Amino acid sequence: MKKAAVLITTILLGVVIQDGFAQNKPDYLSIEAQIQETYAQRNWWKVLKISQLSINNQIDYLALRQRAGIASFLRGDFGQSIVHLNAARHFDHRDSVAQVYLYYNLLYDGRPAEAVARADAFPTVVQQRLGFRARQFITSLNLESGIKVSSVPDQVGNATYLTIGLEHRLSPFMHLYQSLSRLSQGYGTDIHLIQLQYFIRTDLRLSPGWLVSPAFHRFSVTGTGTAMTGLQQRGTVFHLNLTRSGNEWKVFPLLTYSQISNGGTPSPDQGPPPGGGIPNKESQWQIGLGGEYAIHRVRFQGSYELQNKSLTSTWNPLWSLNAVFTSSPKFSIKAGYGYFQTTNFLESTTAIYNNVPDPTRDKTTLLFNVGVGKRTSLYLLGQYERKGSNILNQNYHYLTVTGGFIIPF
């Protein structure tokens, strides 16, 4: 009798324990109720936590992935959002919510060419919702202005500059960006320099995840002063990079070739070079590799290049490291450091060619990007740039403050 009682008690306890486990295990109705509540409260972190719990317990459905994708996007985790939205499309490949947010995710993830190519295949109603046009003469306007404040203003003056840029969409697979820049700076006791630069870059999408971007610079520097008359510099720069990208990562080899010619008529008391600055030409190469990798809302960027100058035949290393934290689609912070120790170089894939006479040792950068309204974005850039001067025989630095905005059309 005792043995029978023990056996019955054990069975009853097992049933109670199993029932308790069953009550703790999430089910579709409880998950959906919690998701709806936290989504209405805009508690995106909790939406994602509940979604992951549901997925781990093999409760997976379209609305769950939609909300998880939107929550990740609004938190600034574009890579995670793309994963959820792609999963949503497995349930319904025509889902318009997933299509719209995939487009914006690719834009904010730094893959605009991929976003446009995807959107070109969307239904017309989704394209209209996005305001998408396969071809657009002007897709955005960029205005930027700044000042470089010198630590030795009596020897190297402050510099001011202005850039105007336009972006064009020639087809869903071909984008064009061009800009015109003007820089004005005093140098030495009485030399005044004016630099004009034209820049153009084409982004060609070859296939999903593959992008080739040829670019061209043409700049001209003129100067006036008593130490030298007719000071002129002309430069031509060709740049090419091939980008292979995926969800949260990019790899891109870099190649740059430039030719620069310098000219001027020295004053009689200046004598032979280097004081006289007689005409000379220089060509050089930059070759290297860059990459990006995102871990949730932080994106790490880096590049390493080697520069070879025809006048010295030496190879000089250039490298940079950056980290970008994105708290939401409307706000991000970028901090970075670049090591150069040279003159006449291109910073990775940017439109700025550094051709001032004094070598740039390194740069420390802080960039804030803020979305304003529905589409416009403003940015503020601060830089600490260390320079060395053979002419002045001393080191100095610039503090740079730049502001700009981008207006899409």
Side-chain angles (χ1 to χ4, degrees):
M1 193 69 182
K2 270 187 174 183
K3 289 182 179 180
V6 170
L7 180 61
I8 292 170
T9 302
T10 302
I11 293 172
L12 289 174
L13 284 173
V15 170
V16 171
I17 292 170
Q18 286 181 4
D19 185 59
F21 282 142
Q23 290 177 1
N24 291 331
K25 184 177 180 179
D27 58 83
Y28 168 78
L29 292 177
S30 65
I31 286 292
E32 179 62 14
Q34 292 178 68
I35 287 284
Q36 288 188 20
E37 180 183 1
T38 53
Y39 190 86
Q41 295 170 351
R42 300 178 67 85
N43 188 340
W44 310 128
W45 177 83
K46 197 167 183 181
V47 168
L48 293 169
K49 184 179 179 181
I50 297 170
S51 299
Q52 193 58 53
L53 174 66
S54 177
I55 294 166
N56 291 343
N57 283 275
Q58 299 181 346
I59 302 173
D60 197 0
Y61 52 97
L62 176 62
L64 178 88
R65 293 291 192 163
Q66 286 178 334
R67 297 189 189 104
I70 294 171
S72 299
F73 174 77
L74 294 174
R75 276 173 54 95
D77 193 343
F78 308 123
Q80 185 184 49
S81 180
I82 290 172
V83 170
H84 286 300
L85 295 170
N86 280 330
R89 297 193 70 191
H90 285 303
F91 292 100
D92 180 3
H93 72 277
R94 299 168 298 178
D95 178 47
S96 62
V97 173
Q99 290 174 336
V100 167
Y101 277 94
L102 274 172
Y103 173 79
Y104 286 118
N105 269 293
L106 288 167
L107 282 182
Y108 287 108
D109 196 43
R111 291 186 277 168
E114 192 69 27
V116 170
R118 289 276 195 99
D120 188 54
F122 288 168
T124 303
V125 64
V126 177
Q127 292 180 346
Q128 291 174 344
R129 182 177 173 184
L130 292 170
F132 172 78
R133 283 175 280 177
R135 291 168 180 80
Q136 194 172 348
F137 178 63
I138 298 177
T139 57
S140 67
L141 167 68
N142 176 213
L143 291 177
E144 177 179 303
S145 182
I147 183 170
K148 297 166 70 76
V149 180
S150 170
S151 63
V152 287
D154 55 329
Q155 300 176 71
V156 180
N158 299 336
T160 58
Y161 63 95
L162 174 68
T163 296
I164 301 175
L166 293 173
E167 187 174 7
H168 315 269
R169 185 181 300 150
L170 305 182
S171 80
F173 307 99
M174 183 177 181
H175 297 237
L176 186 72
Y177 177 81
Q178 55 182 335
S179 66
L180 184 65
S181 303
R182 181 184 187 275
L183 182 142
S184 174
Q185 179 173 18
Y187 193 87
T189 56
D190 65 345
I191 298 177
H192 186 71
L193 304 175
I194 299 291
Q195 174 180 320
L196 295 176
Q197 175 183 272
Y198 174 72
F199 168 75
I200 185 168
R201 185 191 72 241
T202 304
D203 292 331
L204 300 169
R205 180 184 181 270
L206 304 178
S207 63
W210 288 95
L211 187 74
V212 62
S213 302
F216 171 79
H217 297 249
R218 179 65 179 172
F219 59 83
S220 170
V221 181
T222 57
T224 58
T226 57
M228 178 179 290
T229 60
L231 174 64
Q232 292 184 344
Q233 184 183 72
R234 299 287 185 269
T236 304
V237 184
F238 300 93
H239 176 75
L240 180 68
N241 75 287
L242 178 67
T243 303
R244 176 72 175 101
S245 61
N247 191 22
E248 302 180 320
W249 62 270
K250 287 182 184 178
V251 176
F252 43 92
L254 305 161
L255 179 65
T256 304
Y257 174 75
S258 61
Q259 280 191 327
I260 299 175
S261 62
N262 299 289
T265 303
S267 298
D269 60 341
Q270 290 296 105
I278 62 174
N280 63 79
K281 292 184 178 181
E282 180 179 19
S283 62
Q284 59 194 40
W285 291 89
Q286 272 181 237
I287 184 169
L289 184 69
E292 296 184 12
Y293 187 75
I295 302 177
H296 291 291
R297 291 188 286 169
V298 181
R299 178 180 296 276
F300 298 96
Q301 304 169 334
S303 66
Y304 184 87
E305 299 175 71
L306 292 172
Q307 178 198 60
N308 180 267
K309 295 174 178 284
S310 62
L311 295 181
T312 60
S313 298
T314 58
W315 289 94
N316 179 66
L318 299 81
W319 56 269
S320 65
L321 290 173
N322 302 282
V324 184
F325 172 73
T326 304
S327 62
S328 74
K330 289 188 175 293
F331 185 75
S332 65
I333 301 175
K334 177 179 178 179
Y337 175 80
Y339 176 90
F340 308 108
Q341 300 288 339
T342 188
T343 59
N344 301 341
F345 65 94
L346 184 68
E347 292 185 61
S348 188
T349 58
T350 67
I352 302 299
Y353 191 78
N354 295 266
N355 65 301
V356 293
D358 294 335
T360 298
R361 298 186 181 278
D362 57 15
K363 287 184 183 181
T364 303
T365 299
L366 191 61
L367 173 66
F368 298 89
N369 195 298
V370 182
V372 179
K374 188 176 180 180
R375 303 175 69 189
T376 302
S377 62
L378 304 177
Y379 57 90
L380 180 65
L381 171 70
Q383 279 187 330
Y384 178 77
E385 179 181 356
R386 296 197 302 172
K387 307 283 289 185
S389 175
N390 296 326
I391 299 174
L392 301 177
N393 196 28
Q394 67 170 312
N395 297 326
Y396 63 97
H397 65 260
Y398 284 120
L399 287 176
T400 302
V401 179
T402 300
F405 60 90
I406 302 173
I407 303 176
F409 290 94

